[in-house]
Amino acid sequence: MYKVLLVDDEPYAIEGLQLLINWEKHGFEIRGVCANGAEAIRMIQEDQPDLVVTDIRMPVMNGLELVEEARRLEHESVLFVITSGYSDFNYARQAIRLGVSNYLTKPVDSIEAEDMLVRLRMQLQERENQERIREHANEQRIKVFLSAMIKDKQTISEQEMSETLPRLNKSHWAYLRIALQGDIQEACLVAEQMADATTSCYVLDRTRDSLGLVWGEEVNDSGGTSEAVKAFAQRLMSNMQNNGCEDIHIAVGSTVNKLELLSESFCSAQEVGRYLFFNQKRLLFAEEIQLENWQFDPETLSEVDHISELLENGSVEELSSSIRSAFELFIEMKAAPEIVHIFSTHIIFRGLSLCRELGGESNALMNELASGILEKGQRNIEKVASNLEHFCLQCKSELAIFRERQLGGIQATVAEYVQMHYRETFTIQELAERFYVNPVHLGQSFLRKYGKGVIEVVHDLRMEEAKRLLQHTNQTSSAIAEQVGYRSYQHFLRHFEKRTAMKPLEYRQKYVN
């Protein structure tokens, strides 16, 4: 609602304005009434109304003097409407000179008044839009300025420096780096909301998985990280977690007492980020760490070749042990996170390359694990180690399948297809057509290789899944039968009893209890 102040020394005139015009319909609210211009000036200064409707002829200070005094006191945003029972051109001319273009004659006509309110509301809305545009443009200029202060102060002209620095006059500044997995859009929204509620706070440097935030505050804190930035960082972490953001890590740079030193806070936040990689904490401040000499020596990548060799020819135990040993060494020697990332990247690309060399493609799980590591989505060395180990073991399993496919010919290919599609209904004839082989040859060669026919293998796979569902879910036997691929429950029951010598209910009672 836009705020309205009514000014008239005639009580009946005030009452008429209140009763005859539907102010709320047009988005206006009467916030005060007064009887002369001097009283109106006091109320304008106190309440900052959007619209003042004033009579011309009043004691102490008339309406035109009121407008002139308000302009002198720099209340430029207030709109004025002049009302008068006198058809005096001189009054209108003076009002125009003072920038008042809205004039109502007494007695006020409600239709004419409401038509004018429609125009005034549109004028106020347009002014608000222009103000928002100016504020947004100004905020963008400040963000560009702050980014330059962090990364390259040489690009800032003396004029920009002299114009912008006084507007950012705070006693404490700090740079915060927020890294997370998941919805960066939601994290950015939370950060922007908190920045808007803080006097000098701006979100910068947004990437796919991180945000940079510059915090400025006028606080009484001599040296060290101020309690204010600690409280802000903790609220930021809490708000992001409450809004569903996951795996958040916030590195808070050192607090500086001049904006010109902001690059120092930025550099220290980058350093804090390295400590977070080796730390179980999710929120860490520059003043809480002791500087380390991080190892960037490429010799730390020597284990890449050994692990790549184990991917091809080693055992699962050797592979897991080698990966764990490499990461223990990283922690012991304080290897920089960048080196750990390069190490992981080399192994991932080697694994994917091996898959392609054997004529296969990596599966969805491998791709998901690889992407999480390659995009630096993991913010803790333990998670990187765990994901890399998981990737390598999955890769080794896939490589074994690709080799078997190469050695086992069409029978291995069909066996892999059956493994993935046993819930579906198909015949030997349909399988043979899919893989372009004779159905009799396929059936006989499959039996010789695996000791069972294709359809028997399908039933075995269905029964294993049915037993798992009976043990670990509360689904009914008929629902399980349908889920594993049987259209007839009797058909399912016959095969289940053949392989287990029990009915499904008996099996569930035996193995669940």
Side-chain angles (χ1 to χ4, degrees):
M1 288 286 186
Y2 295 113
K3 297 182 289 185
V4 180
L5 173 63
L6 303 180
V7 189
D8 201 309
D9 62 329
E10 299 179 12
Y12 290 116
I14 291 287
E15 186 178 354
L17 288 170
Q18 291 173 317
L19 297 177
L20 291 175
I21 302 172
N22 190 341
W23 298 92
E24 291 187 2
K25 173 184 174 182
H26 300 287
F28 292 87
E29 176 187 14
I30 297 174
R31 293 287 293 269
V33 298
C34 50
N36 60 66
E39 187 181 347
I41 286 293
R42 179 181 58 78
M43 295 187 71
I44 288 172
Q45 291 179 311
E46 290 177 357
D47 197 36
Q48 293 292 313
D50 300 291
L51 174 63
V52 174
V53 181
T54 179
D55 188 27
I56 290 182
R57 291 188 175 236
M58 296 182 296
V60 184
M61 180 186 291
N62 67 35
L64 297 179
E65 291 170 338
L66 165 61
V67 176
E68 193 164 12
E69 179 66 8
R71 297 290 184 251
R72 188 185 69 78
L73 294 172
E74 298 184 350
H75 295 291
E76 299 293 339
S77 64
V78 180
L79 297 181
F80 282 90
V81 173
I82 297 295
T83 65
S84 177
Y86 301 88
S87 299
D88 191 326
F89 178 73
N90 287 329
Y91 286 137
R93 186 168 57 186
Q94 290 181 56
I96 291 170
R97 179 176 58 80
L98 293 170
V100 179
S101 58
N102 301 292
Y103 193 94
L104 291 174
T105 56
K106 292 182 177 180
V108 173
D109 180 79
S110 60
I111 295 176
E112 179 186 355
E114 293 193 24
D115 286 343
M116 185 181 65
L117 287 183
V118 171
R119 295 195 305 273
L120 291 173
R121 183 183 63 188
M122 292 176 63
Q123 185 177 343
L124 288 166
Q125 289 173 340
E126 176 62 23
R127 190 168 69 188
E128 288 175 346
N129 289 337
Q130 293 299 323
E131 182 62 28
R132 279 194 291 269
I133 292 171
R134 282 192 294 272
E135 287 177 0
H136 179 72
N138 182 56
E139 184 173 340
Q140 292 306 115
R141 281 194 293 271
I142 290 175
K143 287 183 177 181
V144 171
F145 177 84
L146 291 172
S147 292
M149 289 292 290
I150 291 168
K151 298 169 184 174
D152 189 5
K153 284 194 286 189
Q154 302 302 319
T155 62
I156 305 175
S157 68
E158 291 185 8
Q159 181 178 348
E160 287 178 303
M161 194 74 80
S162 61
E163 288 178 353
T164 310
L165 279 179
R167 298 164 60 185
L168 298 170
N169 185 25
K170 300 297 176 185
S171 64
H172 283 65
W173 292 93
Y175 185 92
L176 291 75
R177 169 64 65 185
I178 304 106
L180 73 155
Q181 280 187 289
D183 190 353
I184 190 68
Q185 184 67 32
E186 185 62 37
C188 189
L189 180 61
V190 173
E192 290 283 5
Q193 288 173 344
M194 288 195 64
D196 289 343
T198 307
T199 309
S200 293
C201 191
Y202 303 91
V203 176
L204 310 175
D205 307 330
R206 172 178 169 177
T207 67
R208 292 180 62 180
D209 59 4
S210 67
L211 295 170
L213 191 146
V214 172
W215 170 91
E217 193 75 41
E218 191 69 38
V219 291
N220 296 318
D221 187 5
S222 57
T225 302
S226 71
E227 292 301 316
V229 73
K230 283 186 176 180
F232 176 85
Q234 288 163 353
R235 289 199 312 275
L236 179 63
M237 172 72 80
S238 177
N239 287 349
M240 285 187 169
Q241 290 173 333
N242 291 340
N243 282 273
C245 302
E246 299 177 357
D247 199 21
I248 307 163
H249 291 79
I250 301 180
V252 183
S254 57
T255 309
V256 295
N257 57 13
K258 289 183 180 179
L259 188 57
E260 293 92 324
L261 302 176
L262 187 59
S263 60
E264 296 180 11
S265 183
F266 172 79
C267 291
S268 64
Q270 300 291 89
E271 189 71 7
V272 172
R274 292 194 175 104
Y275 282 83
L276 279 172
F277 185 72
F278 291 94
N279 202 299
Q280 294 300 315
K281 288 186 176 181
R282 292 177 176 271
L283 173 61
L284 195 59
F285 298 88
E287 281 79 357
E288 295 177 351
I289 64 174
Q290 292 182 345
L291 293 180
E292 299 276 0
N293 291 321
W294 300 103
Q295 295 293 326
F296 288 89
D297 187 352
E299 287 298 317
T300 55
L301 302 177
S302 59
E303 280 294 296
V304 168
D305 292 336
H306 179 56
I307 292 173
S308 297
E309 177 64 26
L310 292 175
L311 265 176
E312 286 194 80
N313 304 311
S315 68
V316 169
E317 292 76 16
E318 288 175 318
L319 181 59
S320 290
S321 176
S322 182
I323 292 171
R324 286 293 170 181
S325 296
F327 276 85
E328 287 170 5
L329 180 61
F330 288 145
I331 294 172
E332 180 184 339
M333 67 186 301
K334 298 294 183 184
E338 293 87 340
I339 289 292
V340 178
H341 181 69
I342 293 171
F343 170 85
S344 303
T345 301
H346 277 307
I347 293 174
I348 287 169
F349 280 129
R350 183 57 183 151
L352 297 176
S353 176
L354 284 171
C355 288
R356 287 192 292 272
E357 288 172 13
L358 290 174
E361 292 293 337
S362 52
N363 63 23
L365 178 58
M366 285 174 61
N367 289 331
E368 181 181 346
L369 291 168
S371 297
I373 300 170
L374 294 176
E375 294 174 3
K376 299 184 182 180
Q378 301 295 344
R379 298 295 165 183
N380 180 273
I381 191 169
E382 285 297 327
K383 288 189 177 181
V384 175
S386 176
N387 271 6
L388 185 63
E389 182 182 8
H390 197 176
F391 169 86
C392 288
L393 296 178
Q394 187 70 28
C395 181
K396 192 166 185 61
S397 175
E398 289 295 303
L399 289 172
I401 292 173
F402 296 148
R403 286 196 184 94
E404 183 182 349
R405 181 185 296 167
Q406 284 189 336
L407 297 172
I410 192 63
Q411 294 81 15
T413 303
V414 171
E416 183 183 354
Y417 179 84
V418 170
Q419 181 81 27
M420 297 177 64
H421 299 273
Y422 66 85
R423 295 181 180 85
E424 302 172 14
T425 301
F426 48 79
T427 65
I428 292 290
Q429 179 70 36
E430 289 169 337
L431 280 176
E433 290 175 359
R434 172 178 285 276
F435 295 103
Y436 306 102
V437 294
N438 182 279
V440 175
H441 169 72
L442 174 61
Q444 292 175 345
S445 62
F446 192 95
L447 180 62
R448 283 196 302 271
K449 183 174 180 64
Y450 294 105
K452 293 182 180 181
V454 174
I455 301 304
E456 192 66 15
V457 169
V458 169
H459 288 306
D460 285 347
L461 292 169
R462 288 177 176 178
M463 290 303 110
E464 288 303 313
E465 177 65 5
K467 287 189 285 186
R468 187 188 71 81
L469 292 171
L470 284 167
Q471 290 181 49
H472 300 292
T473 74
N474 294 321
Q475 296 182 60
T476 63
S477 299
S478 58
I480 290 173
E482 183 177 351
Q483 186 173 334
V484 299
Y486 290 98
R487 295 180 182 177
S488 164
Y489 179 70
Q490 293 302 320
H491 192 194
F492 162 76
L493 189 60
R494 184 167 66 252
H495 282 283
F496 191 88
E497 290 180 340
K498 175 183 175 181
R499 286 166 173 77
T500 65
M502 286 183 282
K503 294 185 182 297
L505 181 59
E506 294 171 338
Y507 181 90
R508 171 173 276 166
Q509 290 173 339
K510 177 178 179 180
Y511 287 98
V512 171
N513 296 332

